């Protein structure tokens, strides 16, 4: 159903040239990083203030127009697509860092600030915002998908690092959740409810974030392992031993091939761990030594320490570009990206079974993982139009999810549900899905907030 | 309204002698630790299984009977009182530790397990459950009130340490929330919604908890300060400097008097900090030294290190008994307990203003605080029946809450809302209270779950 003319008129009156029905804008805001596809939205809005967003929602609520939030467009499960048409609300012009309260280790930002932009602003304060999903995503989008990434093992996910929100509800009302205090027991945790709600309950228009002190000392390294199993068992042992890792990332041989091709490195083709330690010079040295000894027990070799800030930056840039580098392993391919997370003790078996399954289906699926959390991904490369290959990739993804559930894990550690995992929600949550649906109905009775996402139909 | 005869009959048929209308049981389950008072409940149930709880809820839902969860009865805001009558569900016979998965740093427990009972079970594993509100509370009750306490500065609150729940909903349906994975992005964070919901959305019948490694080394100390301001400014400086504290507690001169009277210690009468460090021997030594140097800058003196486990146990037992020791400062008194939490930079001023206000009203209100979180309490001692004193204590409490809100803090850091802080909920949350009410109405349409608590009437 197209947007009613009355809504178009009202949105134009409200937003002027911050409202567009141009095909180019619609197409730009109808894309997806992965294989998910949908029709483009009917129009795009570019609010610059909470008042704009509130006005947009009031109009769309009155006229029953679907509303889809948009950040950097880097979500992996089709979160920002418009399968039911409607209005995409592009929040990237709300990109101001509103307030840095260094003495309280907090910053307040608009949703269109990216994590790199915030960290650039913070550089002089000695503080940083640690959550790092790889992509230079918007902080609003990261909150909406409950993002995490390479540093969650040390600093937590968006769940742990968002203290407070301003949210525009489906009908245009503006609320504030949370406080600037470190903790609160005053009523339902609405901040926690909106973090990870994928734009299905409201639009985030301001975030109060926890900041952390830049570590006095940082050390990073890669090391190689003979087998995938040995690398992952080393991770499990490391976490169980309590060595405080700032990052501990697994990459398999295919990812190393992609890195060598993309960056000209000459890493040994085989499974590796990429690790980082944060702390005082003494504690970093002790932690690195303890990890080195453990890694040796599992046959880890060829430690390559990134001793300069530039070398570390290059190392993590390579890791952050893994998605694009792996896509380049098969020119023209798109990706089915898996994202299971399991209890630590089940990680070695979960990774090994996934690798076997990918091989058995004859697929190419490079694997990376934030394995300190028990979270790993396969990026299964499929050629658009090859239905058999796509079907095989989806079978593998579903079996990985089912195996994760069978050991008490989750179908998505950090990417969210979007369109891609709706069909698995009841398998994970059982009747708790009905509780989610009841909350959704209570806050968005018309179902205009990002319809067709997260909750099963 | 008494419980309808049909509900009585059904509950008796379901529970047999696990259902009681005896006056003694009703009186026992109608008490409160603090000044809050209400009529006793009409009956008490003693479920031993989730099936029992589900059956109870189905009956009470059908007959419109209020249901109030009960643990150890140690909540401070009248959470477990029955102002509208109805059925108290005493969960203390559901007291089994179901499963300890040391390799995943997790345990699953029934709600009636107390934190001390769990830690006794864990002793041989090298792990412990850190959340420590002082009272030996039930873990179900601690989750329901989003408890925290002395160790939250290091290990977080119940929000951070509950991974998954089993919950019986208002109509008797049983759901499971969360997973055993370290993180998940699969839908709304229902675990986070039920933690802190004070029994107003459902009854918790099982918890999956995060465990932590017992620290290799522990060091604890008390030290004295010349003024309250100096002690609290030392805390703010310590937190801002990033010294990793396991505990950092403030006690004022009245609390020291209470300790000396209760335990025979001969501490100098004046403000003190009680601190603890966890880590490797090297890191604990370095942290203790760094704190010692900082404390000296603020005039801290008379460091008394508890070097043996017995001395540490005695130290924290004294702290844990502060509530009862302070009550004994004024025999016969009951307490109005405040619980604000503010951003760190506002802590010194918040504590000083509270102390001035208590003095100006001519009240006795010993102060303690989990000041590493910006959270502090005054336990204002009032004589039952002295209406003027009670009114003065409530005025002080409301002004403390209002001042906390004016600097972005919260009316309750860890005690919860219960009966006592309902009137302040709209001041803190504004229209977000309506969102809470909508969620409540969606999950408990008849309003039978702990009515008269948390949400303003």
């Amino acid at each position: 159903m197209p947007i009613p003319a009355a809504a178009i008129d009202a949105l134009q009156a409200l937003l002027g040239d911050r409202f567009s029905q141009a095909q180019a804008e619609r197409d730009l805001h109808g894309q997806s990083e992965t294989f998910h596809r949908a029709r483009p939205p009917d129009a795009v809005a570019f609010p610059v203030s909470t008042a704009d967003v509130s006005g947009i929602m009031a109009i769309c609520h009155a006229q029953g127009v679907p509303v889809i939030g948009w950040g950097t467009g880097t979500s992996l499960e089709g979160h920002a697509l418009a399968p039911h048409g409607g209005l995409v609300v592009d929040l990237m012009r709300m990109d101001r860092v509103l307030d840095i309260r260094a003495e309280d280790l907090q910053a307040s930002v608009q949703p269109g600030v990216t994590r790199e932009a915030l960290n650039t602003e913070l550089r002089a304060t000695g503080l940083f915002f640690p959550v790092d999903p790889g992509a230079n995503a918007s902080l609003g989008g990261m909150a909406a998908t409950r993002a995490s990434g390479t540093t969650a093992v040390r600093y937590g996910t968006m769940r742990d690092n968002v203290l407070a929100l301003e949210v525009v509800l489906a009908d245009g009302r503006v609320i504030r959740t949370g406080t600037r205090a470190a903790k609160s027991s005053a009523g339902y945790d609405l901040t926690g409810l909106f973090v990870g709600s994928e734009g299905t309950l409201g639009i985030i228009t301001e975030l109060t974030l926890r900041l952390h002190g830049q570590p006095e000392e940082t050390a990073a390294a890669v090391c190689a392992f003979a087998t995938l199993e040995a690398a992952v068992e080393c991770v499990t042992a490391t976490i169980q031993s309590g060595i405080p890792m700032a990052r501990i990332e697994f990459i398999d041989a295919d990812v190393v091939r992609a890195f060598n091709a993309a960056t000209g490195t000459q890493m040994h083709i085989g499974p590796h761990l990429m690790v980082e330690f944060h702390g005082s010079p003494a504690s970093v040295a002790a932690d690195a030594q303890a990890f080195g000894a453990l890694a040796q027990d599992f046959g880890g070799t060829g430690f390559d320490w990134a001793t300069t800030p530039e070398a570390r930056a290059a190392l993590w840039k390579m890791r952050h570009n893994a998605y694009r580098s792996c896509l380049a392993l098969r020119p023209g391919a798109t990706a089915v990206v898996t994202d299971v997370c399991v209890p630590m003790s089940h990680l070695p078996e979960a990774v090994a079974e996934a690798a076997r399954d990918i091989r058995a289906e004859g697929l190419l699926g490079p694997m990376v993982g934030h394995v300190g959390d028990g979270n790993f991904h396969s990026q299964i490369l499929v050629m658009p139009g090859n239905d058999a290959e796509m079907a095989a990739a989806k079978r593998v993804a579903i079996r990985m999810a089912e195996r994760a559930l069978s050991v008490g894990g989750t179908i998505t550690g950090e990417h969210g549900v979007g369109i891609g995992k709706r069909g698995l929600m009841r398998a994970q949550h059982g009747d708790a899905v009905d509780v989610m649906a009841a909350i959704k109905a209570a806050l968005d009775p018309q179902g205009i907030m990002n319809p067709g996402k997260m909750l099963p139909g």
Side-chain angles (χ1 to χ4, degrees), chain A residues 425-426 428-439 455:
Chain A
M425 282 289 278
R426 198 165 285 274
Q428 172 155 345
H429 297 290
D431 291 347
V433 167
D434 301 326
V435 172
M436 295 185 197
I439 292 168
L455 294 168

Side-chain angles (χ1 to χ4, degrees), chain A residues 396-409:
Chain A
V396 167
I398 287 172
R399 284 194 295 262
M400 281 174 70
E402 289 171 344
R403 283 194 302 268
L405 293 178
S406 75
V407 298

Side-chain angles (χ1 to χ4, degrees), chain A residues 1 3 37-39 41-42 57 60-61 64-69 77-89 170 197-203 417-420 422 440 444-457:
Chain A
M1 181 186 92
I3 302 179
R37 295 287 172 270
R39 46 166 291 192
D42 296 299
M57 292 312 311
C60 291
H61 187 255
V65 178
V67 175
I68 304 100
E77 292 292 351
H79 292 87
L81 292 174
H84 299 268
L87 180 71
V88 159
V89 177
S197 65
E198 303 188 2
T200 65
L201 299 178
I203 302 257
V417 178
I419 291 176
R422 290 173 79 200
K440 164 78 172 171
D444 178 23
Q446 299 204 51
I448 61 170
M449 302 300 308
N450 209 5
K453 311 295 168 59
M454 184 190 283
L455 294 168

Side-chain angles (χ1 to χ4, degrees), chain A residues 46-67:
Chain A
F46 298 92
V48 296
S49 66
T50 300
D52 274 356
V53 177
S54 176
I56 290 167
M57 292 312 311
I59 292 165
C60 291
H61 187 255
Q63 304 280 342
V65 178
V67 175

